Amino acid sequence: MKHTINHSWYKEAMIYHMYALSLADAPFLNDYAVTEHKLAGIEKWIPHIKGMGFNAVLFSPVLKSRSHGYDVTDYFTIDNRLGTNAEFQSLVRLFHENGIRVILDCVFNHCGRDFFAFRELKYGNPEYADWFSGVDFGRQSPLGDPFMYNTWSGYYELPKFNLQNISVQNYLLDAARFWIDSFDIDGMRLDAADVLDFGFMAELRSVTENRKNDFWLMGEVVHGDYSKWVNASALHSVTNYVLYKSLFSSHNDNNLYELAYCLQNAVPDNGLPLYSFLDNHDQSRIASNTNPVHLNTLYTLLYTLPGIPSVYYGSEWGFRGIKENGSDNNLRPYINIENRMTYSTWLTGHISALAQIRQKEKALKYGNYKQIYLEYNRPFIFERSCENEKIYVVVNITGNNEVVKLCDFYSFGGEFYDLLCKEQIVASGYIQIKPHSARILKERICC
């Protein structure tokens, strides 16, 4: 009897990451005075997202906040610079009707200074002192409060919650239930998960799975042993910053040994189901972080290596952007989706083709990883295998044409089909790999 693989939706996810406030062309500071109705503009992105092959979308913060979305004011209300709760419900429903899951960027580690409990504390109500970490009435904060408090990373606009407080836990867990019940969201990205209380994450996992049994929790974690977060009692996935760094650095330094070492140590036999990316709302655009000539192989690796691939909005058109003076504004531009055909490049088609390949090939979605060949200034070859299927990825990051003799790494009779070039190749033959390009070879056994 043939074994049937049964994985949750997120094992097959290809995620499109959007910074909602920028796409709504919202003012940076919220005066809370007017409710805009900008979500219809985001609705216009659905044909592009679906057409590119993405089956999930990650919205960076959409809850009411004072500025960038991570300083939440109200955990039960969509930001008035975007629209209303009812309008967001309709938007999620449209994404679902188009086969696209919806993930929200959620902030449980800290809030904004306009959050009701912090406002009460500022106004002298000591009842809410225990809602926040490190409150000390013997000192004054740098912002003039008659008390000191802990923050996220030293930013006093972001007071840190005391997640040991049962009232805080209940409030935030009720918010999570509300988002699932009201908006029917499919997952959450947990901001600052590397400093988030593990006990709270365990409670959140239980609450969300009880509400929706295939609900996905992914955490923002930069450093550390990812298995501390990704396990049966905490999160399903975390941001793979180790792979992110090694991808662009290995290309910039012409040193794929760095990438290979990362893969051998961080994802042996497919490792953990981590969230993979080349850029995001916090990191410089990949087209600015490396020579654009490398984009072909970088995106090929993103879609063929173990992990859950994500593309940050605009990067499919090669948009550029770097952090300047600590500001992320260049990374979060407004883009008029109605001009998308003027933005389109070869890269748009390449990413779309990669998405189609990944969608069809189970070896790329959840297969094991094995390094096959690595030598300086020569093509890097690795294998993805699942059950009786094998795919070989051949990557050339040099500026030279390269030739690979297939029988050097493949000793059985048969043939390959190049999924990218749509070319059939005899396994005893040779293949040419153009500069800064890749081949994706699917094994075909000859009987």
Side-chain angles (χ1 to χ4, degrees):
M1 183 174 173
K2 187 175 180 180
H3 173 65
T4 301
I5 294 176
N6 182 19
H7 282 308
S8 298
W9 66 267
Y10 44 82
K11 296 289 184 69
E12 301 187 356
M14 291 175 284
I15 300 173
Y16 194 72
H17 179 189
M18 309 175 80
Y19 193 78
L21 289 169
S22 292
L23 290 180
D25 201 19
F28 181 71
L29 289 180
N30 190 354
D31 61 8
Y32 308 119
V34 177
T35 297
E36 300 286 353
H37 303 280
K38 300 288 190 70
L39 292 174
I42 294 178
E43 178 186 330
K44 294 177 181 178
W45 282 75
I46 293 177
H48 170 68
I49 295 168
K50 183 177 181 179
M52 287 287 295
F54 297 100
N55 54 19
V57 63
L58 166 61
F59 281 110
S60 283
V62 296
L63 298 180
K64 184 179 288 188
S65 76
R66 175 65 173 152
S67 59
H68 44 59
Y70 295 94
D71 50 348
V72 180
T73 297
D74 185 341
Y75 280 80
F76 292 83
T77 306
I78 294 299
D79 198 297
N80 55 289
R81 293 170 291 175
L82 296 173
T84 66
N85 282 12
E87 289 168 343
F88 192 71
Q89 288 170 344
S90 297
L91 181 64
V92 173
R93 186 164 54 250
L94 283 171
F95 272 104
H96 284 167
E97 288 171 359
N98 282 274
I100 301 169
R101 305 272 183 166
V102 175
I103 305 156
L104 293 192
D105 200 344
C106 301
V107 190
F108 293 122
N109 178 70
H110 51 267
C111 62
R113 286 172 57 84
D114 290 341
F115 179 65
F116 86 93
F118 194 80
R119 222 173 39 240
E120 288 288 324
L121 187 58
K122 284 194 300 179
Y123 294 156
N125 185 347
E127 176 185 347
Y128 289 96
D130 197 42
W131 274 58
F132 300 97
S133 173
V135 172
D136 180 358
F137 289 100
R139 296 185 295 155
Q140 189 178 67
S141 81
L143 299 184
D145 307 294
F147 54 88
M148 183 59 83
Y149 53 93
N150 293 336
T151 67
W152 176 77
S153 200
Y155 290 92
Y156 284 87
E157 295 83 1
L158 303 174
K160 182 176 175 63
F161 281 125
N162 172 19
L163 289 173
Q164 302 298 316
N165 182 331
I166 192 66
S167 296
V168 177
Q169 289 182 27
N170 288 339
Y171 177 90
L172 295 175
L173 294 172
D174 282 346
R177 294 184 185 96
F178 172 79
W179 302 334
I180 296 173
D181 294 346
S182 297
F183 302 126
D184 194 25
I185 63 169
D186 303 287
M188 298 177 190
R189 171 200 181 267
L190 305 186
D191 185 62
D194 48 0
V195 292
L196 196 59
D197 181 82
F198 278 94
F200 176 78
M201 280 189 279
E203 285 294 317
L204 182 65
R205 172 81 173 251
S206 176
V207 163
T208 54
E209 285 187 347
N210 283 336
R211 255 343 188 245
K212 205 170 191 178
N213 61 11
D214 62 349
F215 198 81
W216 186 59
L217 291 178
M218 182 268 288
E220 179 196 23
V221 177
V222 179
H223 305 293
D225 177 1
Y226 292 151
S227 66
K228 288 172 56 180
W229 288 270
V230 183
N231 53 61
S233 62
L235 308 180
H236 300 92
S237 184
V238 295
T239 49
N240 195 349
Y241 270 91
V242 174
L243 180 63
Y244 157 74
K245 167 62 170 60
S246 66
L247 278 168
F248 76 80
S249 178
S250 62
H251 280 70
N252 287 346
D253 297 337
N254 190 26
N255 179 21
L256 285 174
Y257 281 89
E258 178 183 349
L259 175 61
Y261 180 83
C262 164
L263 293 165
Q264 289 290 98
N265 289 274
V267 287
D269 296 328
N270 205 19
L272 303 169
L274 304 182
Y275 175 89
S276 305
F277 58 96
L278 294 173
D279 46 22
N280 60 34
H281 65 298
D282 288 327
Q283 305 297 326
S284 294
R285 296 271 181 176
I286 189 62
S288 295
N289 226 359
T290 190
N291 188 325
V293 75
H294 293 312
L295 294 177
N296 183 312
T297 51
L298 281 166
Y299 277 100
T300 302
L301 288 165
L302 178 70
Y303 275 83
T304 58
L305 285 172
I308 300 168
S310 172
V311 173
Y312 185 49
Y313 82 105
S315 287
E316 71 271 32
W317 298 304
F319 274 37
R320 301 175 67 87
I322 59 173
K323 293 170 79 86
E324 290 184 319
N325 302 318
S327 171
D328 294 318
N329 289 344
N330 291 338
L331 314 179
R332 307 170 182 181
Y334 168 73
I335 298 175
N336 185 348
I337 189 59
E338 294 180 327
N339 293 339
R340 65 183 177 275
M341 295 312 298
T342 64
Y343 305 142
S344 294
T345 68
W346 66 269
L347 181 60
T348 322
H350 182 56
I351 293 173
S352 182
L354 290 168
Q356 292 179 39
I357 292 170
R358 183 181 172 88
Q359 180 62 35
K360 294 175 181 177
E361 302 300 333
K362 62 184 179 181
L364 296 181
K365 288 184 284 192
Y366 29 75
N368 291 337
Y369 165 85
K370 179 182 177 182
Q371 179 179 310
I372 299 297
Y373 179 84
L374 176 64
E375 186 177 336
Y376 179 68
N377 263 356
R378 293 281 294 140
F380 172 45
I381 304 172
F382 60 88
E383 173 193 284
R384 300 294 310 280
S385 61
C386 181
E387 298 176 340
N388 61 344
E389 294 188 10
K390 291 184 179 180
I391 288 178
Y392 296 89
V393 182
V394 185
V395 177
N396 176 22
I397 69 167
T398 74
N400 307 313
N401 280 301
E402 294 288 339
V403 174
V404 170
K405 187 177 180 182
L406 295 176
C407 62
D408 284 347
F409 68 87
Y410 185 81
S411 57
F412 302 99
E415 60 188 23
F416 295 106
Y417 184 73
D418 189 324
L419 300 173
L420 263 181
C421 302
K422 303 187 184 308
E423 175 186 2
Q424 195 157 300
I425 304 162
V426 177
S428 60
Y430 296 80
I431 57 169
Q432 184 180 79
I433 307 99
K434 295 178 181 179
H436 307 293
S437 71
R439 310 289 291 263
I440 303 176
L441 308 177
K442 184 173 184 178
E443 176 191 58
R444 285 185 172 178
I445 301 296
C446 292
C447 300

